[in-house]
Structures are given as C-alpha cells and as structure tokens.
Amino acid sequence: MKYVILLGDGMADYPLDELGGKTPLEAARTPNMDAIARRGVGGLLQTIPEGMGAGSDVANLSILGYDPKRYYTGRGPLEAANIGVELKDGEVAFRCNFITVGDGKIEDYSAGHISSEESEELIKALNSRFSLGRFYAGVSYRNLFVTHMGARLLATPPHDALGRRVDEVLLKPESSPEAAQLNQIMLESRSLLEAHPVNRRRLEEGKNPANMIWLWGQGSAPSMEPFREKHGVSAAVISAVDLIKGIGRYAGMKVVDVPGATGLLDTNWEGKAEAALKALEDVDLVYVHVEAVDEASHAGDAEQKVAAIEEFDRRLVGRLLDRIDFPCRIALLPDHYTPVDMRTHSRDPVPFIISPWAEGGDGLASYSEKAIKEKGSLGVREGHLFMEVFLSGDSTSSAL
Ligand SMILES: [Zn+2]
C-alpha cells in the first residue's frame, strides 16, 4: 500500500457573500477532490492544540503525527533546517519577513511578494550593517535571522498585524533588554532598506517596497524522531516553502525539490504531481503541500482562492488520480482554516477525507466543510493522532 496526503494550505473557509453564501471549496469546480470524497470517509481534525498559535508550523507538525505541544519550538528553526542552517546550542532562529510599512503601519507582510533575488541583495546589506546575529536569504519575503537571544520574547506574526501601528506590535516585553535590542534592529532596518537601490527600483515599478524587516516565529532546534521510526513507513515531502520542507528534514523525510514550485498560483502544479509519483517509487508515503490557496486567503481574495483550489484540483489532484494504478490510500485536507474575510488563520477543526476506506464511504457527494461536518463518520479528532488513523485505515484507532 502507498499513501498520498494532499494538503491545501489554508483551504477551509466560511461561507462568503461574494460567493453567494458558499465557501471557496463549495464554489470551486473540483471534480477530482469530489471523486476522492465519494469513495472516502470524513472527519474534523483539531490541528491547533489549545493555547497554541494557529500557524502552518503547528498544524503541519500535528498532521505528520508530531504533537506540537511536545515538539514545537518555533517556526524559525524549521525554516532554517531547509536552507541548510544548522542551529548550535543556544542559537535562536527568527523568521525575518520583508514587509511594507506606510504611515507607521504594517501594510503588507510580504513586501509585494518580493523576489528571492531582490531579497538576497537586501539580506547582504543587512549583514554588512548589523552584527548581533546573521541574516540568511530564504524564499521571497521569507528570510531568517539567527542570533543568541530572544527565544522567550512574544513576537507578533506580521500577517496578523496588517493595518496595525509598528510601535504597538514590536517584540514584548519591551522592558526586556533583549527585546529592546532586537526591536532596535527592526526599526533601524528602515533607513537602510528605504535607501537601497532594490527598493528605489520597486517603487518606480509601482511595487510595494521591502522597507522594514519583521522578526518573529523564533525558537531553538527541535528534536524529532524520524518519521519512519515513529510511523513505520518511509516518507517524502513536496512543498515550495522552507517551513514545510524544514519539518520534513527534522523528521528525516526525503525532501523533494520541484523546479518552478513558487507557493503561488503560477506554481508548477504538474511538476508537483510528477514529483509525487516519482517519490512513491522509493517511499511509502508522500506529503504534497500546496501554498497558493493560503496566499490567496491572506490577500483576502475570494476569487483567487477559488481559482487556486480549481488549479490544485485539475492540475495536481486530477493528474495524480489519472496515474495512480497501484493500491494507494489518499488523504485530502487543509492544515488550518484561512478565512478570506479574516485574512489570517483560524483555529477551527479542519475537514479531512481518507479515501478509499476499507469499511465503505460516508456517502459524501463532494469535498466541503459542510458536507464533512454533516456526514463525516470519523468525528472530531486530535491533530497529532491523524497519521495513525490514516495509516491503519481503522476508525477505532485513536478515537477521541
Ligand atoms: Zn498553513
């Protein structure tokens, strides 16, 4: 038996007026996801444990069977792993976003999805200016800062602070000398970045400038046992984003790079499908993560979210279904809700499908939040117990 997990980041949503009272999943044409649903059983997964932030890091750790309450140390170290930055004892990795600030407020958490090439130039400039730690270029606006302090500070994710004043959402507590030093770096980055040719060019082209850095998501290296030892099957991960690939690295999964995987609507959908099929020649399980749906949600763009779901369905899910001619169990789910009208993640339990199911299906006609809430026979499950149910195909394992 082979196993495929299809994960649409932030795919679940609430009914929207602009979609005639439907959720994006209901509004999108998804014949392939619906085919998976018709043969499967559904349930709801609490991927975000009580008291933890609704991040993709926490949610994806849950789904992979690593209880975030035990394994999660922060997003920064997970992303660091994927760009080859190994954290030593005492080192702390922060996610370093390039953001756009206007009128003292956070306007864009991604600096207009600045290109990786431009980011790299700005990272070089930051390293020549600041000596309290080292900056590393990642993908687009998602970069890293490694230092020796600040592990315990409270940091606000910039996508949760859109429209807020910078001085209100800096690192806390501001009374801490470490917070003061790190906040100073963020504030001082402004003059350096604003004067940089990359940003002058972006402004001329009508793009959002990367005129400030934002440090958040920090932590030290987590210690995770290999996926294969934990679950008894070998696994690979396919994703455009460092965070998910970094989790894969800490979990000892095979991390597959797909050329042209961007995390956006223009991603190499077919390439991901091909890479998944190829990976299954060597491993038992492949985890295919798609970021584009989440990005559309953060942009507050319902139409784009529907488009991303349809592309996912047609060009990745459909292509896979066409080519899977061996015994294979498929799971379809988001990691968390990213409601378009909130433009950030929410904590609602997410709808999942496991298909085909040995004991027959739930009679679902399509894959949607409502259909699964009404008919999903697996009920509500704790996120980190999902992998057990998925691999065993047995609803009695890890019941609530
Ligand atoms: Zn996510």
Side-chain angles (χ1 to χ4, degrees):
M1 175 75 88
K2 298 280 182 179
Y3 304 91
V4 175
I5 295 176
L6 298 168
L7 191 128
D9 202 299
M11 191 158 60
D13 210 315
Y14 307 143
L16 291 165
D17 288 344
E18 63 260 53
L19 298 178
K22 292 180 173 176
T23 68
L25 265 177
E26 289 169 335
R29 215 184 90 77
T30 54
N32 298 299
M33 292 188 198
D34 297 344
I36 292 174
R38 278 197 297 275
R39 301 173 62 205
V41 290
L44 297 171
L45 204 63
Q46 187 62 64
T47 54
I48 311 292
E50 190 73 45
M52 296 191 80
S56 293
D57 38 16
V58 168
N60 283 275
L61 277 173
S62 284
I63 295 166
L64 286 165
Y66 296 89
D67 185 353
K69 291 198 291 290
R70 181 171 157 207
Y71 294 94
Y72 184 67
T73 59
R75 162 190 294 255
L78 299 171
E79 294 185 328
N82 196 52
I83 56 173
V85 178
E86 215 168 294
L87 298 179
K88 300 183 197 77
D89 266 0
E91 281 189 331
V92 178
F94 281 79
R95 157 66 88 77
C96 171
N97 276 46
F98 282 124
I99 65 168
T100 307
V101 173
D103 281 342
K105 293 179 184 159
I106 298 181
E107 287 182 345
D108 180 353
Y109 66 92
S110 74
H113 288 279
I114 186 169
S115 72
S116 300
E117 293 71 30
E118 291 171 302
S119 278
E120 216 173 314
E121 277 190 60
L122 298 177
I123 289 289
K124 267 187 212 147
L126 289 165
N127 273 326
S128 55
R129 165 78 172 268
F130 298 107
S131 56
L132 210 58
R134 185 145 191 88
F135 293 90
Y136 294 90
V139 177
S140 177
Y141 62 90
R142 310 176 191 93
N143 303 284
L144 276 178
F145 178 60
V146 177
T147 181
H148 281 91
M149 62 169 87
R152 292 177 179 283
L153 299 174
L154 272 175
T156 306
H159 53 262
D160 286 346
L162 292 174
R164 303 272 309 272
R165 292 196 56 80
V166 165
D167 48 15
E168 285 172 6
V169 285
L170 286 167
L171 292 164
K172 305 268 178 331
E174 280 165 272
S175 55
S176 137
E178 295 191 350
Q181 277 182 293
L182 293 162
N183 284 336
Q184 198 183 346
I185 294 181
M186 286 196 260
L187 293 169
E188 281 182 10
S189 72
R190 290 202 59 179
S191 54
L192 171 83
L193 292 171
E194 254 159 19
H196 198 282
V198 161
N199 278 322
R200 288 212 296 269
R201 206 160 51 229
R202 288 186 68 78
L203 280 170
E204 274 165 26
E205 291 166 357
K207 295 174 179 164
N208 283 352
N211 58 11
M212 186 171 179
I213 59 165
W214 197 259
L215 303 177
W216 63 286
Q218 77 276 20
S220 50
S223 134
M224 289 162 57
E225 65 259 52
F227 190 90
R228 190 179 191 141
E229 278 170 33
K230 197 168 174 59
H231 298 299
V233 295
S234 57
V237 60
I238 294 172
S239 172
V241 300
D242 283 330
L243 170 67
I244 307 298
K245 291 156 97 173
I247 292 175
R249 289 196 198 279
Y250 276 112
M253 296 164 81
K254 182 173 177 179
V255 179
V256 182
D257 287 314
V258 177
T262 58
L264 296 171
L265 205 53
D266 66 358
T267 197
N268 182 2
W269 302 94
E270 289 84 5
K272 282 185 154 179
E274 294 303 323
L277 289 162
K278 184 104 185 29
L280 287 174
E281 292 171 12
D282 301 324
V283 298
D284 303 311
L285 180 149
V286 63
Y287 193 80
V288 187
H289 169 267
V290 166
E291 174 75 2
V293 189
D294 190 56
E295 293 293 342
S297 317
H298 285 296
D301 190 335
E303 207 175 299
Q304 204 193 350
K305 183 163 185 175
V306 170
I309 292 170
E310 290 184 345
E311 293 286 87
F312 180 28
D313 184 84
R314 186 169 62 86
R315 295 171 63 185
L316 202 165
V317 182
R319 199 170 174 103
L320 271 177
L321 291 187
D322 282 349
R323 303 269 300 279
I324 290 177
D325 53 3
F326 42 83
C328 184
R329 190 177 297 145
I330 297 175
L332 173 64
L333 75 168
D335 48 352
H336 48 73
Y337 273 65
T338 310
V340 161
D341 58 9
M342 288 171 66
R343 297 185 63 178
T344 189
H345 306 168
S346 81
R347 320 179 55 84
D348 309 66
V350 301
F352 70 89
I353 296 273
I354 298 178
S355 168
W357 188 259
E359 303 150 33
D362 281 341
L364 296 159
S366 63
Y367 175 58
S368 76
E369 300 85 351
K370 192 166 149 222
I372 291 177
K373 243 176 245 168
E374 285 172 359
K375 286 189 155 179
S377 63
L378 294 181
V380 186
R381 307 252 164 175
E382 246 186 278
H384 70 101
L385 301 175
F386 166 78
M387 198 55 78
E388 216 177 300
V389 183
F390 176 54
L391 292 174
S392 67
D394 175 2
S395 58
T396 58
S397 75
S398 65
L400 266 190

